[in-house]
Amino acid sequence: MTLAPAPPDLLAPPAGDRLPDGFTVELAPGSHRSADGRLMMGGSPLRLMRLTEAAVRRLGDGRFSVTDGPSAALARRLLDAGIAHPRPAPVPVRDTTVVIPVRDRADQLDRLLDALRRDPATTGLPVLVVDDTSHSPAAVADVARRHGARLLTHPYNQGPAAARNTGLRHCRSAFVAFCDSDVVPEPGWLAPLLAQFTDPAVALVAPRVVALPVPSPGLLDRYEKLRSPLDMGAAEGPVVPVSALSYVPSATIVVRRAAVGAGFDTALRVGEDVDLCMRLHEAGWRVRYVPSARVGHRHRTDLRNWLAQRASYGTGAAALALRHPGQVPPLYAAPWSLTACALLLRGRPVPVAAAAVLTGVTAVRVARRMPDADHPARAGALLSVAAVRGTAEQLLRCATRHHWPVALAAAAVDKRARWLLLTAAVADGLLDHRRSGSPLPPLTHLALRRLDDLAYGWGVWQGAVRHRTTAPLRPRLALRMVSRWTGARPQPG
């Protein structure tokens, strides 16, 4: 097995994570509390949390501010679980440098710098443009000069990670905002991100990356508006490996300069943003996603380039899986729910009955873990059924995304496997069409979804062969009950 290049030195942990007095948190939408307030459930992965009487009183109606050590500890526990979100006070936009890695794209750089200078909050911020060996360096230099940005140049092409690191080394501000040259921040984007750093343990914050409007959107424009891998959705939360929000893209991020060390791993041309998120998490730092701050991005919608990009994203999975074992699995589920799904796939009365019994036994076990719930039996049943459904959805995705070459080979020699693969391909696409609210016709969305997954999966296999490893293809078993209630999870890229 050939290992990926060694990652940078381990990052130093935060000096402390005690939230300051006055810091406010609020229960996240979707968090559930028992009638007496003692039992809470939420976050990703879904978990149970029991509170003391004092904590119940402090939490009150679901929003409270830190006033002392116990309230700071409660707030931290809720934030880390994803059961509550921070509501920091507004802060002024200052002590921040904007770093823009670029290679050609002078017109897009001009558009970005114009947006930064038009926004009253960012008009006076220092900007570093790092030219990673453009073919037309004079055009990039002219744009930087006209907008008062400092220009740094590389003598040879080193990739976006190295360009960002070059800018990072020349920064002296406490915070650094990395913006790719093809984004357009919306007015007021930076202040909500900087406010998150009121938490001394926050190292990186990301906004939502949305599609820029186009005059006459084509099919891929409309698909990418909803399914771009850069858009992490409308739900805020902590960024934690093997969760519903496992990474944020580096198209636009803001970092605490003291937390990120030398920055991105320059050995990675793909997935360096996922790697940085994971290294920060491993060091004890927090990473947050704040979709109320938004930047526009012109997504690739030329079919050939779109497919190449998706495949390129997939190639990064192998290096990430080797550097961070178990943190980027194609499937993460409990053994019992996998067994139940395998029995259901048999489609015969006895295996289906066995799956029902297994799910029922698990429901009883879950109910016994929370006797203080308002309706333990109902909660246990709902959670167990949800776990089976989530595992089934992950299996659908594996068959049509990460493991489609294996599924296709099985379908070529077995009629039952052929029908199962066809059913999985159609069911997954139609389910995604309904959930995403896609404006495309169902069959069109289904076709684009399949192309999307085929290209990404092909990239995963390319990376696996290149690194001579099966790491990005191996599932991970959830062995703790608290981690078993899991649904489908997005993958890096």
Side-chain angles (χ1 to χ4, degrees), residues 39-346:
L39 186 67
M40 299 188 64
M41 183 168 60
S44 176
L46 191 65
R47 69 194 70 196
L48 290 171
M49 182 179 293
R50 286 181 172 81
L51 303 182
T52 64
E53 288 289 354
V56 171
R57 290 194 299 270
R58 193 179 301 277
L59 185 56
D61 62 357
R63 184 184 177 103
F64 71 96
S65 296
V66 172
T67 57
D68 53 20
S71 61
L74 174 62
R76 172 63 67 201
R77 187 181 175 199
L78 294 172
L79 289 176
D80 287 350
I83 292 177
H85 295 321
R87 295 292 177 258
V91 300
V93 175
R94 61 185 181 190
D95 206 9
T96 304
T97 303
V98 180
V99 171
I100 306 171
V102 66
R103 191 181 192 202
D104 297 307
R105 293 179 173 180
D107 56 336
Q108 296 184 25
L109 175 64
D110 183 57
R111 183 181 60 183
L112 167 58
L113 290 172
D114 183 67
L116 291 173
R117 295 315 186 198
R118 286 178 180 272
D119 187 343
T122 60
T123 186
L125 292 182
V127 178
L128 299 180
V129 174
V130 184
D131 187 345
D132 193 29
T133 322
S134 292
H135 295 97
S136 302
V140 172
D142 179 64
V143 170
R145 177 187 55 77
R146 285 193 288 106
H147 289 281
R150 181 184 175 188
L151 180 66
L152 305 171
T153 60
H154 280 173
Y156 58 92
N157 180 254
Q158 301 174 51
R164 295 188 194 103
N165 290 351
T166 295
L168 182 66
R169 288 195 300 272
H170 286 79
C171 291
R172 295 297 176 266
S173 55
F175 307 105
V176 178
F178 294 106
C179 295
D180 284 357
S181 60
D182 56 355
V183 303
V184 182
E186 295 184 359
W189 67 283
L190 187 53
L193 304 181
L194 291 177
Q196 298 292 320
F197 292 102
T198 308
D199 180 345
V202 167
L204 186 155
V205 186
R208 185 176 184 182
V209 181
V210 297
L212 285 171
V214 295
S216 300
L219 293 177
L220 277 177
D221 290 295
R222 293 152 68 191
Y223 178 83
E224 282 290 271
K225 186 175 181 179
L226 295 171
R227 296 297 302 147
S228 167
L230 300 181
D231 187 350
M232 306 309 292
E236 68 178 300
V239 179
V240 179
V242 200
S243 76
L245 191 59
S246 59
Y247 74 102
V248 285
S250 56
T252 299
I253 56 174
V254 183
V255 303
R256 189 188 299 271
R257 187 167 63 87
V260 297
F264 297 88
D265 183 357
T266 57
L268 296 174
R269 288 292 184 118
V270 180
E272 74 279 2
D273 41 12
V274 184
D275 173 71
L276 180 61
C277 291
M278 291 183 175
R279 288 192 289 120
L280 287 167
H281 178 76
E282 291 162 4
W285 290 97
R286 275 67 172 185
V287 177
R288 292 207 62 88
Y289 173 61
V290 183
S292 60
R294 293 161 45 113
V295 301
H297 180 269
R298 182 67 174 93
H299 300 321
R300 295 189 188 187
T301 52
D302 169 79
L303 181 60
R304 182 175 180 177
N305 289 332
W306 178 73
L307 290 173
Q309 182 190 55
R310 288 299 202 272
S312 175
Y313 286 157
T315 61
L320 291 169
L322 289 170
R323 291 162 184 259
H324 307 281
Q327 299 302 294
V328 289
L331 181 146
Y332 180 55
W336 76 266
S337 63
L338 283 171
T339 302
C341 287
L343 291 169
L344 290 171
L345 284 174
R346 296 290 302 277

